[in-house]
Amino acid sequence: MSDRTSWDQYFMRIAQIVAERATCTRAKIGSVIVKDKNIIATGYNGSPAGHPHCTEVGCLIYVSRDPDGEEEENCFRTIHAEINAIAQAAKHGVSIEGADIYVTASPCYHCLKTIMNTGITRVIYAKPYKIHRIAELLAHSPLHMTQVEG
């Protein structure tokens, strides 16, 4: 039996380090996109490059309501970690089809829709975040989601 860290634990720990760069005051989330055991992009939640961050000027909170009437607060200023990692790969012309994404919290509904359209095949997350909201979306997708501790 080996004490060696598994690949999933290894990449999740890296996502946790990436999360330390987050500038969202409400949640520090990090993500790492991995293909063939190689990191191809990372992302954390924060403002677009060159714009003020929540840590500097505060959040721009808005309240939305899902179709079931449940209210949710979000920030206009912040781009989620998953979207930032996907954007980084696109900016550098790197294909993420067939890749895995490691995220320190399970994706929100909007991030999951984006992940599904990129060709990423597996989402590995550390902490569950409103899993009930994405259950139906996952039911109609070949995407695999797995919880892994860092």
Side-chain angles (χ1 to χ4, degrees):
M1 200 68 161
S2 172
D3 290 336
R4 192 171 188 193
T5 299
S6 73
W7 284 110
D8 284 345
Q9 291 169 326
Y10 172 74
F11 291 121
M12 186 58 71
R13 287 182 185 160
I14 293 169
Q16 291 166 340
I17 297 296
V18 171
E20 293 177 15
R21 290 274 311 151
T23 60
C24 174
T25 57
R26 298 168 0 114
K28 289 190 173 287
I29 307 297
S31 66
V32 177
I33 299 176
V34 175
K35 191 170 184 178
D36 300 325
K37 295 186 175 81
N38 290 291
I39 295 171
I40 57 176
T42 64
Y44 50 86
N45 46 340
S47 297
H51 289 257
H53 293 279
C54 297
T55 52
E56 301 164 343
V57 294
C59 294
L60 291 174
I61 300 297
Y62 68 94
V63 178
S64 61
R65 191 180 316 270
D66 74 12
D68 295 328
E70 189 176 341
E71 285 188 356
E72 180 174 272
E73 289 185 356
N74 290 290
C75 179
F76 274 117
R77 196 177 310 281
T78 298
I79 301 170
H80 290 186
E82 303 93 323
I83 303 300
N84 271 328
I86 291 165
Q88 184 184 78
K91 181 178 180 179
H92 296 286
V94 178
S95 172
I96 57 177
E97 186 158 0
D100 298 334
I101 188 167
Y102 291 81
V103 191
T104 55
S106 59
C108 73
Y109 194 87
H110 300 293
C111 286
L112 187 60
K113 289 187 298 184
T114 303
I115 289 167
M116 288 175 166
N117 274 0
T118 65
I120 287 174
T121 57
R122 198 167 71 117
V123 176
I124 302 92
Y125 65 94
K127 295 179 183 176
Y129 172 75
K130 299 182 182 181
I131 295 285
H132 67 283
R133 286 209 174 157
I134 60 173
E136 185 177 342
L137 193 57
L138 281 170
H140 302 285
S141 170
L143 187 70
H144 297 284
M145 277 190 49
T146 306
Q147 185 175 9
V148 170
E149 297 294 321

